[in-house]
Amino acid sequence: MDGERGQGPEQGRWTERQARVIPLRPRPHATRTAPHREAPARTGPASTAPLRTTPVPPAEKEPLWRDVVGDVLRRERLAQERTLKDVADAARISMPYLSELERGRKEASSEVLAAGARALGLSLADLLSLAQTELTRHAQPTRPRQGDIRLAA
């Protein structure tokens, strides 16, 4: 056991004071591939063919709810030419927390969203309606639903 402690990563062992760094996000230049699944057992000459992974095209990222709501709060505050401090005081929330909400760093409770909306002279329904409008603007067209009519141009 003691022989393993002093060995470094080059020997495949880590000491107590060494830390492994595991990236949380994929590198931007890395090619994304479909997950590798084992092929079902086959018989005959084709059973020796390896299973290949196919590249997955990068999907357009749908915006997160907290980002959309934060953008709406910030846009409304700036349209009224009000400061973070002014709106935070009116909403009875801290100025750093309101800033984090506007930047999409925090998920707000419905009570906090209602307080922020009231501080800006909006109802919660108004805030959610504005956020819904933003979400639909960013939404990608999906396959047609049953009953949808599509006209060719």
Side-chain angles (χ1 to χ4, degrees):
M1 280 267 201
D2 289 346
E4 293 178 9
R5 284 190 138 170
Q7 295 178 352
E10 61 277 353
Q11 286 87 16
R13 303 269 198 275
W14 295 91
T15 64
E16 292 176 9
R17 293 184 184 192
Q18 290 178 322
R20 287 191 346 193
V21 177
I22 302 170
L24 297 177
R25 296 183 183 152
R27 294 184 186 160
H29 65 278
T31 305
R32 295 175 51 189
T33 60
H36 179 74
R37 287 182 237 143
E38 288 191 28
R42 294 184 238 163
T43 58
S47 64
T48 58
L51 182 65
R52 296 184 195 180
T53 58
T54 54
V56 175
E60 182 79 22
K61 247 187 150 179
E62 196 170 24
L64 296 175
W65 175 251
R66 67 178 183 239
D67 292 328
V68 174
V69 171
D71 288 343
V72 170
L73 287 172
R74 176 169 280 173
R75 188 174 54 243
E76 289 298 315
R77 179 178 64 79
L78 294 176
Q80 296 176 17
E81 298 179 353
R82 294 175 66 186
T83 64
L84 267 172
K85 181 170 178 26
D86 177 40
V87 175
D89 289 346
R92 300 183 62 116
I93 58 178
S94 73
M95 191 174 67
Y97 187 68
L98 178 59
S99 173
E100 288 186 333
L101 289 177
E102 287 186 354
R103 291 181 291 135
R105 305 271 187 203
K106 295 286 184 186
E107 294 276 356
S109 68
S110 57
E111 291 87 358
V112 170
L113 290 178
R118 277 192 306 273
L120 292 167
L122 302 169
S123 69
L124 182 58
D126 293 334
L127 176 67
L128 299 181
S129 177
L130 291 167
Q132 188 266 339
T133 302
E134 284 297 309
L135 278 174
T136 54
R137 190 168 59 87
H138 288 289
Q140 293 179 354
T142 58
R143 60 183 172 87
R145 296 179 304 233
Q146 186 176 11
D148 281 355
I149 299 172
R150 303 270 177 157
L151 300 175

